[in-house]
């Protein structure tokens, strides 16, 4: 389906479904936050300010954060767009790709060397690619790390006290 070729009626139906999915995601997201469960934010990285604000929000709740920056060439991005079931005009792909490239250094500064990981998908990868193995080890290490955020440490102590009181 070429998104830019949809009829007005189909585009409207698509938007309705998308809005329902976003609303459900927001509800699930809220439940995860209340329980302080792990959260993954999936996005293109073209809007630095939006991601920076999201990271700040999560830090105020006590989360430690890390970023996996999936990088590719513009050529690979265009190829992936063509092969995707729902594609967009090539000009939008170029505009988005350029924005993401411009933000890479900003994200690296925001998350720091220890919590910023780049994976290059310019060439086809398989789950057994060394790149994935290396990245998986970093993700596991981050997930198993003790909490560093002082807000989270306080929340954990408070939860322990609440559970003992029950």
């Amino acid at each position: 389906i070429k998104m830019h070729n949809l009829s007005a009626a189909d585009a409207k139906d698509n938007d309705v479904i998308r809005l329902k999915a976003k609303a459900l995601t927001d509800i699930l997201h809220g439940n995860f936050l209340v329980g302080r469960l792990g959260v993954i934010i999936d996005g293109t990285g073209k809007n630095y300010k939006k991601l920076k604000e999201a990271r700040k929000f999560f830090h105020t709740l006590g989360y430690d954060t890390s970023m996996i920056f999936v990088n590719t060439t513009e050529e690979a991005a265009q190829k992936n767009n063509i092969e995707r079931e729902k594609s967009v005009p090539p000009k939008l792909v170029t505009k988005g790709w350029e924005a993401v490239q411009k933000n890479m250094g900003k994200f690296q500064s925001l998350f720091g060397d220890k919590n910023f990981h780049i994976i290059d998908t310019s060439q086809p990868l398989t789950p057994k690619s060394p790149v994935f193995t290396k990245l998986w080890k970093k993700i596991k290490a981050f997930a198993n790390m003790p909490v560093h955020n002082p807000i989270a440490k306080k929340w954990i102590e408070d939860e322990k006290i609440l559970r003992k009181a029950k």
Side-chain angles (χ1 to χ4, degrees):
I1 299 171
K2 303 294 180 194
M3 297 304 289
H4 53 283
N5 291 339
L6 288 178
S7 69
D10 287 341
K12 185 177 179 182
D13 288 346
N14 190 55
D15 287 343
V16 168
I17 293 167
R18 185 173 173 273
L19 288 173
K20 285 181 181 179
K22 283 182 69 100
L24 179 59
T25 299
D26 288 345
I27 291 168
L28 293 171
H29 186 245
N31 291 339
F32 272 64
L33 296 180
V34 168
R36 298 303 193 266
L37 300 175
V39 178
I40 295 174
I41 299 173
D42 181 19
T44 63
K46 65 183 177 185
N47 187 334
Y48 173 77
K49 183 179 176 186
K50 183 177 176 182
L51 190 60
K52 181 180 178 183
E53 289 171 2
R55 182 179 181 272
K56 182 179 178 183
F57 170 74
F58 281 102
H59 271 263
T60 63
L61 291 177
Y63 281 88
D64 292 321
T65 60
S66 182
M67 180 177 200
I68 299 168
F69 188 95
V70 180
N71 196 25
T72 194
T73 62
E74 183 182 0
E75 180 183 0
Q78 293 289 358
K79 183 177 183 271
N80 290 340
N81 181 56
I82 290 167
E83 294 172 354
R84 199 174 290 126
E85 186 178 327
K86 293 182 176 183
S87 63
V88 298
K91 284 183 181 180
L92 279 179
V93 174
T94 297
K95 186 177 178 183
W97 182 84
E98 288 172 349
V100 170
Q101 295 304 305
K102 194 165 80 172
N103 290 334
M104 188 185 325
K106 293 177 188 176
F107 288 133
Q108 209 161 9
S109 294
L110 180 65
F111 286 90
D113 289 338
K114 193 173 101 181
N115 291 315
F116 181 82
H117 313 285
I118 299 174
I119 182 169
D120 189 332
T121 61
S122 299
Q123 301 297 318
L125 300 174
T126 67
K128 294 186 180 193
S129 296
V131 170
F132 280 123
T133 303
K134 183 179 175 185
L135 184 62
W136 180 246
K137 286 179 182 177
K138 287 181 181 181
I139 292 168
K140 279 178 53 177
F142 178 78
N144 292 320
M145 243 180 5
V147 174
H148 290 101
N149 189 314
I151 297 168
K153 288 179 179 181
K154 171 90 171 90
W155 183 83
I156 291 167
E157 289 305 314
D158 291 347
E159 285 296 306
K160 286 179 181 177
I161 292 167
L162 284 173
R163 288 180 185 178
K164 283 182 183 177
K166 287 183 180 180

